[in-house]
Amino acid sequence: MENLAEAFLGLSREDFSLLGAIETGMRTHEWVPTFIISKLAGLSASKSEYRLQHLFEKKLVVREAQHYLGYQINFDSYDLLALSDFVRRDQVKSIGERIGVGKESVVLEAQGYASLAIKFHRQGRTSFKHVRRLRDHLKDKPRVPWLYAASLAARREFAVMEKLYPKVSIPRPVAISRHALAMEYVPGPLLNKITLSDPEEGLRLILQEVGRALDLDIVHSDLSEFNIMITDSGPVIIDWPQAVDAAHPHSDELLKRDLGNVLRFFRSKYRIDMPLEEALTAVREAERI
Ligand SMILES: Nc1ncnc2c1ncn2[C@@H]1O[C@H](COP(=O)(O)OP(=O)(O)OP(=O)(O)O)[C@@H](O)[C@H]1O
Ligand SMILES: [Mg+2]
């Protein structure tokens, strides 16, 4: 979608009811039949059909006509549903530029009570295998894996952030809806984009944050120069959906991998040669404070 704000303003309340109805219907149907959509939306059949055609033309729904005509929402309309929730709850007042596009998320700038970043998770868009396996263990099997995977990732990330904030330097988590997580905007570049004036101190502060997270029994598990932002008040660690509990059987390995990534970066960019053992000691010390 080119512009989320424009798309948002272009939709009527009835359009949002229809999208919400399809979302609900997707719990039980892979393709939601029109009569179920109109019933859930509380709209007449003819009105529903007319508006659904309009949503289809705007590429906000997909449809399939095999045994019957059925609809699904897509990531664009899922984004709009989440955004409308934030707006309704007064958590978001306006949205701005796209500030990050990863393999597994799209991040937009927004304004609420403060400057915000909204991270729309995109897990499950390309790889369904892992999700299918996960889903097989569930009683209430979601029909549409991407929808489930993305909202699960957002919920995981939000839960971890709520546990870490404010003890660890991370963006303050503000709100969640579906696959979308609103957090405070971090005013600063990623570690890989700048040259630190005091890299020894930078590394020390990063290890201190890793130690503080460990004190709360959390290992990031995807730490690198791409998930550390640098502000005037120090490093801020972002991107937590894959974090694991310290009790996780691989947490030691993951912690060493995290530290290995950071040390490799400081070695190659700043020629600081810290052995892994020394970093582990620094982390354990910070953990105790
Ligand atoms: N709170 C924030 N404030 C400012 N910018 C942010 C914030 N959160 C994320 N960003 C920007 O968005 C980019 C992507 O965010 P993040 O690292 O959380 O997701 P990702 O890398 O796409 O996730 P994944 O690693 O799952 O693919 C970051 O590199 C950063 O530039
Ligand atoms: Mg990242």
Side-chain angles (χ1 to χ4, degrees):
M1 181 168 30
E2 277 308 297
N3 188 321
L4 187 65
E6 242 169 61
F8 183 82
L9 294 172
L11 294 189
S12 66
R13 218 169 36 150
E14 287 165 347
D15 291 329
F16 275 108
S17 301
L18 288 166
L19 293 175
I22 301 174
E23 180 191 28
T24 305
M26 282 166 77
R27 289 191 200 139
T28 47
H29 292 74
E30 188 169 355
W31 296 96
V32 190
T34 323
F35 78 92
I36 293 188
I37 300 172
S38 61
K39 199 165 103 196
L40 287 169
L43 297 171
S44 70
S46 61
K47 181 119 206 176
S48 299
E49 270 160 35
Y50 175 78
R51 300 304 306 176
L52 283 169
Q53 176 61 28
H54 168 79
L55 290 170
F56 178 73
E57 283 159 15
K58 286 191 166 183
K59 297 197 169 64
L60 293 176
V61 294
V62 271
R63 67 186 180 199
E64 194 189 74
Q66 284 197 349
H67 306 296
Y68 61 85
L69 184 62
Y71 286 87
Q72 283 184 353
I73 53 170
N74 57 19
F75 263 124
D76 287 342
S77 40
Y78 207 35
D79 290 354
L80 290 166
L81 284 167
L83 182 64
S84 79
D85 235 8
F86 290 146
V87 170
R88 190 175 42 77
R89 297 189 224 136
D90 233 10
Q91 288 156 331
V92 168
K93 300 190 193 308
S94 68
I95 46 176
E97 297 294 305
R98 191 180 282 198
I99 45 181
V101 188
K103 259 196 314 356
E104 310 218 287
S105 79
V106 174
V107 181
L108 299 185
E109 213 178 331
Q111 282 299 322
Y113 74 95
S115 291
L116 304 175
I118 307 180
K119 179 172 179 179
F120 295 93
H121 279 264
R122 287 281 186 272
Q123 278 82 355
R125 187 178 46 176
T126 46
S127 158
F128 295 120
K129 223 157 117 206
H130 170 68
V131 184
R132 286 237 165 82
R133 215 178 310 125
L134 229 169
R135 184 179 56 154
D136 288 343
H137 296 292
L138 293 168
K139 238 188 3 242
D140 189 17
K141 291 183 184 155
R143 310 279 149 168
V144 188
W146 61 262
L147 192 133
Y148 169 72
S151 69
L152 180 67
R155 266 177 285 142
R156 279 208 182 127
E157 182 164 30
F158 194 72
V160 171
M161 291 176 80
E162 285 207 304
K163 193 166 171 190
L164 294 173
Y165 189 87
K167 183 159 178 199
V168 183
S169 176
I170 64 161
R172 174 204 282 264
V174 172
I176 182 162
S177 172
R178 303 170 171 86
H179 64 318
L181 190 168
M183 61 188 136
E184 275 190 357
Y185 180 83
V186 178
L190 287 172
L191 176 59
N192 78 316
K193 290 271 171 66
I194 49 152
T195 300
L196 296 172
S197 55
D198 186 350
E200 275 87 4
E201 177 65 1
L203 176 56
R204 190 187 70 76
L205 290 172
I206 291 166
L207 297 179
Q208 182 173 297
E209 295 308 327
V210 174
R212 287 176 174 162
L214 197 61
D215 187 36
L216 296 167
D217 294 327
I218 287 173
V219 176
H220 187 289
S221 305
D222 189 24
L223 194 64
S224 73
E225 64 274 26
F226 304 105
N227 285 330
I228 300 172
M229 301 185 74
I230 302 296
T231 69
D232 291 344
S233 43
V236 179
I237 303 183
I238 60 167
D239 202 0
W240 294 88
Q242 66 297 308
V244 300
D245 195 276
H248 186 283
H250 298 307
S251 71
D252 264 4
E253 240 168 84
L254 292 165
L255 174 65
K256 285 181 188 156
R257 194 179 68 184
D258 278 356
L259 294 175
N261 292 341
V262 173
L263 294 178
R264 188 173 345 97
F265 175 76
F266 277 86
R267 193 176 311 123
S268 75
K269 176 147 184 175
Y270 297 107
R271 309 278 156 216
I272 296 177
D273 223 340
M274 185 187 286
L276 182 61
E277 285 309 314
E278 191 181 328
L280 274 169
T281 307
V283 163
R284 304 272 180 215
E285 261 164 28
E287 187 191 354
R288 268 184 265 118
I289 296 168

